[in-house]
Amino acid sequence: MNFKKIIFVFILFCIGFSSFAQFARVKGIILNKDNKAVANVNITCLGVTTQTNGNGAYVLKIPANQKTSIFFTHVSFKKATILIELKSDEEYELNLVLNDKQEQIGEVIVTSNNKKQVIGITNIDSNMIQKIPGANAGVENVLKTLPGVNSNNELSTQYSVRGGNYDENLVYVNEIEIYRPFLIRSGQQEGLSFTNTDLVQNIDFSAGGFQAKYGDKLSSVLDITYRKPVKFGATLETSLLGGSFSVDAVSKNKKWSAITGVRYRNNSLLVKSQETETNYTPVFVDVQTNVNFRASEKWQWSFLGNISQNKYQYQPLIRKTNFGTLDQPMVLSVYYEGQEKDKYDTYFGAIKTTYKVSESFSLKYIGSVFHTLEQEYFDILAQYRLGDVDATIGSETYGDVAYTTGIGSQLNHARNDLDALIVNAEIKGFHDWNKSQLEWGAKYTRESIRDRISEWEIIDSAGFSIHPPIIDLPKNDQPYTTYSGPLVPYQNVSATNFNTINRFSGYGQWNAKGFLGSTEVWFNTGIRMHSWEVSGADIKGESHYVFSPRMQITLKPKWEEDMFFRISGGLYHQPPFYRELRSADGVVNPNVRAQQSIHFVLSNDYSFKINNRPFKLVSELYYKSLTDVNTYTIDNVRIRYAASNIAKAYAQGIDFRLNGEFVPGTESWFSFGYLKTEENSDNKGYIARPTDQRLKFGILFQDYMPSIPSVKLYLNLVYNTGLPGGSPSYANPYLYQNRLNDYRRVDVGFSKILIENTPDKVKSGWMGNIKELAVGLEIFNLFNNQNAITNTWVRDVYSKKEYAIPNYMTTRVFNVKLNARF
């Protein structure tokens, strides 16, 4: 599609709607000092009055874009007055505890989603993430339904954003950067994501054009905040895939609070649904805690800790895959010997302290340590038989192998170990004035990596070893000519690397708000600096420096339509992490430069109402121009870099998301994205990048039965066009440009709430201790679509052909789960 046409369509799309609402909505629950609901409270604003119902709940419409007083009165309590200002169509939850001794007067300072609209942040309801079904449920499962976010592997929590790869995404928990394992090569090895959904309070996501305060990556930011408990509570979840348990605790003086979660996961149910019969014994366990201490009104401390252990034992037995066409059906039968034993242990601890120097100035210090011990050991012999299938209808041997066209074997061996220790120390400052803010920060990082890689692959076809395509080896034309050259593995990597990377980074940014005539204007400008140096036992890299200026401008015209227009972008850099320094042959190049991207995003947020229910359409047009690109290949979720900067690339596209209350009281959305990304390596010409996923369509939908509202439905649908990942990982992408088939998947979940205790209605006996108890049924891959993650390439010794045998992901799987809140 012509890029100028995309811009023209985008502008028409943004201005083609209208709305007339200039109101906001306040809702909540009124309680007494004993946390009991108070009915018949009169709530008044500018002559409009409503009352709380028997559950203490209320909803009140108030004028938008102005400070408004809301009065709460009841014959048994003193009057309460709250001053609040909301934006048009904004909804705010205000829960109040009435006092019977003295009158209450206060002002609500609203940190609303309008602020996040201004800076281009997508906020995701934390209550939603545990409800939406998925083979790997959690934050990432919901992210994959957003436009511009792509994944074709339901077993993995990794995702690519707008043409980037998995290593180009920033993840923060409580402002602390999170790292992912190094040696993971397949989704079924991953186990648990770092983020524990039981502990989450807030989720923010940006798909590009983010501010300077975020780190040095090219694609996206996921910013997660864990909640601070205010009273005791607990949650429990158990299912056929594992379980989790969390506890909220608060001290009597309210100065200490802690939330702790334990998780266990077993992917056997999903892995055993694949075509390969296996003995599969995974153990994925982690413990995570977040402890908070309020030393005074000005000084607060917190600790975030995590211990995770993933043990993966995999013994493949038999595989049978049918492929080909109706006219020429074929079958691949594989018999395995050997096993794989992997282990990933990670330890993470971080301390964060916040000191409020004055009303307008605060300081933060963050120190963290991440330690990972990883091993990947396997010896697997695969003996295959490739044959033509008897497709003659009525034949006694219909469906059986009629003729064997290829026989061979493949032996894979690995003894890979990695020990990484990453230490961070960071200080941040925040100055808040009347209509502007200044933020700054400085950070030191030391990465110590000890890595041993030893892996090889031998391919044998019809009893003859196939050597790699190396020029200085004699020609191997077996079985027609005797081969007298050396026998070498088809692929062989062996290296030992002890490296240290020292990094210094910093940022400064300024935010301001003003008016341009009657139009509200928000302005953000900032710059990042990053310097690093790689050293090792036998290497010494150069010192590298990069500077990344960034800017955002958001406009809100004084129209009847509620619209935001936003322009954001800048110069983004991604200094190389260890994985990007190591080439496919295991050698570390200490002088890999930072990849660079000039990023431009044009956005429109349009809020409107249909049948008095809120909706929002978000449209974003983006373009990235990349230089000093470090090219890579992707095999399942394993990324192997060239460890050089000899390419340039671009990514362009457009994203749409329509979200709102399609069903009253629930949020759902529809997403669509178009992407085109290509690279030019060493001036050979432009070809599709490994993440060139042209079209994306996603649906996240929530519903319930009107007559039985305790019965709920959750739908997760994703459609992605095929990635250019069907070629062998060792093949020259300029000679082989195969694409996988489209990725189509629908997961659906049903839930029935069995017990629900409200403040005015508490069950007697043991059930009174349970706030909510629900049982659910989930169906993964509802339509049983066959989605391929990679291809296995099998050689036919007679015809010299190589056949691409798809490696399919999981089939239809049923899961039952139980959720409880205490």
Side-chain angles (χ1 to χ4, degrees):
M1 185 184 293
N2 187 281
F3 199 67
K4 292 182 179 178
K5 292 182 179 179
I6 295 177
I7 298 177
F8 180 72
V9 171
F10 173 82
I11 295 173
L12 291 180
F13 205 89
C14 292
I15 65 177
F17 298 86
S18 64
S19 176
F20 303 96
Q22 288 294 312
F23 292 93
R25 191 165 62 165
V26 179
K27 66 177 183 179
I29 298 175
I30 307 300
L31 305 173
N32 61 19
K33 63 181 181 180
D34 298 320
N35 284 331
K36 297 295 181 67
V38 181
N40 301 320
V41 177
N42 293 310
I43 303 139
T44 305
C45 178
L46 298 179
V48 178
T49 301
T50 187
Q51 278 192 338
T52 57
N53 61 18
N55 297 326
Y58 73 94
V59 177
L60 179 69
K61 182 184 288 188
I62 67 171
N65 302 315
Q66 66 182 63
K67 286 194 174 182
T68 305
S69 293
I70 305 176
F71 304 96
F72 299 81
T73 58
H74 191 278
V75 293
S76 302
F77 298 91
K78 295 294 185 180
K79 179 181 176 182
T81 304
I82 302 297
L83 187 64
I84 190 170
E85 180 180 2
L86 300 177
K87 300 296 183 181
S88 179
D89 288 327
E90 185 175 357
E91 184 174 270
Y92 183 79
E93 183 173 344
L94 176 60
N95 301 318
L96 191 66
V97 177
L98 291 181
N99 196 313
D100 59 358
K101 294 184 178 180
Q102 61 182 9
E103 188 171 312
Q104 301 176 73
I105 300 175
E107 180 176 357
V108 174
I109 306 300
V110 180
T111 304
S112 69
N113 286 339
N114 274 348
K115 180 180 179 181
K116 294 173 182 178
Q117 280 183 283
V118 168
I119 61 177
I121 293 291
T122 298
N123 182 258
I124 298 173
D125 183 3
S126 60
N127 295 320
M128 177 190 298
I129 56 178
Q130 290 180 310
K131 300 174 182 177
I132 303 305
N136 222 327
V139 176
E140 297 85 359
N141 181 50
V142 174
L143 287 183
K144 293 174 184 180
T145 65
L146 297 177
V149 182
N150 296 308
S151 173
N152 63 341
N153 189 340
E154 63 268 14
L155 291 176
S156 173
T157 59
Q158 306 304 320
Y159 53 90
S160 62
V161 179
R162 293 180 176 174
N165 66 33
Y166 312 138
D167 292 333
E168 297 178 14
N169 304 313
L170 284 163
V171 180
Y172 293 96
V173 173
N174 294 351
E175 300 184 80
I176 303 160
E177 187 172 356
I178 304 302
Y179 301 90
R180 72 186 187 96
F182 289 74
L183 297 182
I184 295 289
R185 68 172 66 207
S186 69
Q188 63 194 38
Q189 295 173 312
E190 278 191 29
L192 296 162
S193 163
F194 180 91
T195 306
N196 188 330
T197 56
D198 292 335
L199 316 185
V200 171
Q201 177 183 20
N202 186 72
I203 306 164
D204 291 334
F205 179 75
S206 173
F210 42 87
Q211 296 179 353
K213 67 179 180 180
Y214 295 113
D216 296 287
K217 298 283 187 181
L218 296 180
S219 292
S220 75
V221 172
L222 176 62
D223 191 4
I224 295 171
T225 304
Y226 282 174
R227 69 176 181 271
K228 295 181 179 179
V230 294
K231 60 181 180 179
F232 175 80
T235 66
L236 173 68
E237 178 182 310
T238 180
S239 76
L240 300 179
L241 291 171
S244 64
F245 178 71
S246 71
V247 177
D248 294 11
V250 182
S251 66
K252 288 184 178 181
N253 61 7
K254 306 295 183 181
K255 287 193 172 185
W256 289 88
S257 66
I259 182 169
T260 302
V262 180
R263 294 181 295 173
Y264 167 79
R265 183 173 175 85
N266 187 322
N267 278 341
S268 297
L269 184 69
L270 295 167
V271 173
K272 290 182 178 179
S273 74
Q274 296 176 294
E275 288 184 321
T276 302
E277 295 182 22
T278 65
N279 289 326
Y280 178 62
T281 310
V283 178
F284 304 139
V285 181
D286 86 336
V287 180
Q288 198 164 140
T289 187
N290 185 34
V291 181
N292 301 283
F293 173 60
R294 184 168 57 87
S296 66
E297 291 297 325
K298 290 189 173 185
W299 208 336
Q300 297 183 24
W301 294 78
S302 67
F303 169 77
L304 176 65
N306 178 73
I307 298 176
S308 174
Q309 184 178 81
N310 292 353
K311 289 184 178 179
Y312 174 84
Q313 297 186 23
Y314 180 73
Q315 184 180 17
L317 302 174
I318 301 172
R319 169 184 174 178
K320 184 177 182 181
T321 303
N322 293 289
F323 67 103
T325 64
L326 290 174
D327 295 331
Q328 188 182 5
M330 302 187 72
V331 64
L332 172 71
S333 299
V334 185
Y335 303 91
Y336 296 95
E337 295 180 30
Q339 62 181 332
E340 177 175 355
K341 289 185 177 182
D342 303 333
K343 185 178 179 181
Y344 310 91
D345 294 341
T346 60
Y347 308 89
F348 177 82
I351 292 178
K352 174 183 171 183
T353 181
T354 303
Y355 182 69
K356 191 173 182 180
V357 181
S358 65
E359 288 297 321
S360 61
F361 177 38
S362 59
L363 286 169
K364 294 180 181 178
Y365 169 78
I366 299 173
S368 67
V369 178
F370 173 78
H371 188 202
T372 180
L373 298 168
E374 305 177 20
Q375 71 173 38
E376 185 183 43
Y377 293 176
F378 58 79
D379 290 283
I380 296 178
L381 172 65
Q383 296 174 309
Y384 70 85
R385 178 188 179 193
L386 182 69
D388 294 326
V389 176
D390 184 358
T392 305
I393 298 177
S395 171
E396 293 182 358
T397 59
Y398 177 78
D400 295 337
V401 176
Y403 179 71
T404 298
T405 61
I407 296 176
S409 61
Q410 178 177 327
L411 177 60
N412 286 281
H413 164 92
R415 293 294 184 272
N416 300 331
D417 295 278
L418 184 137
D419 182 350
L421 179 66
I422 302 175
V423 180
N424 293 283
E426 181 177 13
I427 187 170
K428 293 182 177 182
F430 182 77
H431 304 262
D432 189 1
W433 298 296
N434 186 25
K435 290 188 177 180
S436 63
Q437 298 84 37
L438 174 66
E439 299 179 61
W440 54 267
K443 183 178 181 180
Y444 169 71
T445 302
R446 180 179 176 87
E447 301 162 6
S448 177
I449 313 291
R450 293 182 292 176
D451 175 30
R452 183 195 73 168
I453 179 171
S454 175
E455 59 182 62
W456 45 259
E457 176 186 33
I458 295 176
I459 300 177
D460 176 276
S461 183
F464 301 98
S465 178
I466 300 175
H467 67 63
I470 300 175
I471 297 175
D472 58 355
L473 286 176
K475 183 179 179 181
N476 185 350
D477 196 26
Q478 299 179 89
Y480 308 105
T481 305
T482 302
Y483 176 68
S484 57
L487 296 176
V488 297
Y490 194 80
Q491 295 186 78
N492 185 20
V493 179
S494 180
T496 300
N497 301 302
F498 289 13
N499 298 108
T500 300
I501 307 172
N502 288 296
R503 303 179 188 272
F504 292 93
S505 61
Y507 71 90
Q509 69 175 41
W510 177 63
N511 312 298
K513 178 184 177 182
F515 285 87
L516 185 62
S518 61
T519 299
E520 287 186 89
V521 180
W522 291 266
F523 182 77
N524 171 275
T525 183
I527 188 169
R528 287 194 65 86
M529 182 280 295
H530 194 124
S531 69
W532 73 97
E533 184 178 281
V534 181
S535 60
D538 302 314
I539 60 174
K540 178 68 174 178
E542 301 173 355
S543 295
H544 298 262
Y545 303 88
V546 293
F547 295 89
S548 301
R550 306 175 187 180
M551 182 180 293
Q552 291 181 338
I553 301 175
T554 303
L555 306 174
K556 189 181 189 305
K558 193 175 182 180
W559 295 348
E560 291 184 345
E561 298 86 358
D562 184 7
M563 282 193 176
F564 286 84
F565 293 89
R566 184 174 56 257
I567 301 173
S568 58
L571 181 62
Y572 291 77
H573 289 93
Q574 180 160 324
F577 200 50
Y578 175 74
R579 196 166 16 237
E580 295 154 80
L581 297 171
R582 195 182 76 178
S583 63
D585 60 4
V587 176
V588 169
N589 177 3
N591 294 317
V592 175
R593 298 187 301 276
Q595 299 183 83
Q596 177 177 289
S597 172
I598 298 175
H599 200 163
F600 171 79
V601 183
L602 176 63
S603 310
N604 171 261
D605 290 10
Y606 168 52
S607 299
F608 58 98
K609 286 193 174 182
I610 299 177
N611 294 331
N612 206 34
R613 297 201 298 269
F615 288 85
K616 184 166 71 173
L617 174 67
V618 179
S619 313
E620 292 197 330
L621 181 73
Y622 60 89
Y623 182 81
K624 304 179 189 178
S625 176
L626 297 101
T627 54
D628 286 335
V629 172
N630 190 351
T631 59
Y632 57 88
T633 61
I634 299 179
D635 184 6
N636 203 303
V637 298
R638 186 190 195 190
I639 301 176
R640 286 185 283 195
Y641 290 90
S644 62
N645 301 97
I646 59 173
K648 56 185 178 180
Y650 72 88
Q652 63 184 28
I654 189 167
D655 290 336
F656 298 102
R657 184 170 77 110
L658 176 64
N659 69 299
E661 292 188 13
F662 293 92
V663 175
T666 65
E667 182 185 12
S668 303
W669 61 68
F670 292 78
S671 301
F672 172 78
Y674 166 79
L675 162 71
K676 183 178 181 181
T677 180
E678 294 183 322
E679 65 186 18
N680 180 355
S681 180
D682 205 18
N683 293 319
K684 297 176 183 176
Y686 280 96
I687 59 173
R689 303 192 78 193
T691 53
D692 183 35
Q693 199 139 40
R694 292 296 172 89
L695 296 178
K696 191 272 175 66
F697 182 70
I699 298 176
L700 186 149
F701 196 81
Q702 302 184 78
D703 199 359
Y704 58 86
M705 294 180 63
S707 57
I708 314 176
S710 60
V711 177
K712 304 179 186 297
L713 176 143
Y714 306 99
L715 179 72
N716 179 358
L717 181 150
V718 173
Y719 169 79
N720 298 324
T721 53
L723 285 167
S727 304
S729 58
Y730 51 80
N732 184 342
Y734 279 89
L735 300 178
Y736 300 95
Q737 274 282 300
N738 284 2
R739 282 185 180 265
L740 297 167
N741 291 330
D742 296 350
Y743 181 84
R744 301 162 296 166
R745 186 175 177 89
V746 178
D747 298 327
V748 64
F750 304 91
S751 175
K752 173 68 171 75
I753 298 176
L754 303 177
I755 298 175
E756 186 173 23
N757 284 317
T758 57
D760 66 318
K761 187 178 179 182
V762 179
K763 296 183 180 295
S764 60
W766 63 270
M767 291 188 294
N769 297 320
I770 302 175
K771 292 181 180 179
E772 183 177 288
L773 179 66
V775 62
L777 170 68
E778 296 176 325
I779 308 174
F780 305 138
N781 198 357
L782 178 64
F783 299 113
N784 205 27
N785 293 314
Q786 288 188 316
N787 297 309
I789 182 66
T790 55
N791 288 326
T792 295
W793 289 83
V794 176
R795 177 187 173 101
D796 180 353
V797 71
Y798 299 105
S799 65
K800 302 294 184 179
K801 291 182 179 178
E802 281 192 289
Y803 293 93
I805 317 298
N807 296 316
Y808 293 118
M809 297 298 294
T810 59
T811 58
R812 185 189 295 118
V813 173
F814 294 85
N815 183 39
V816 179
K817 69 177 187 177
L818 180 73
N819 294 85
R821 288 193 302 114
F822 304 92

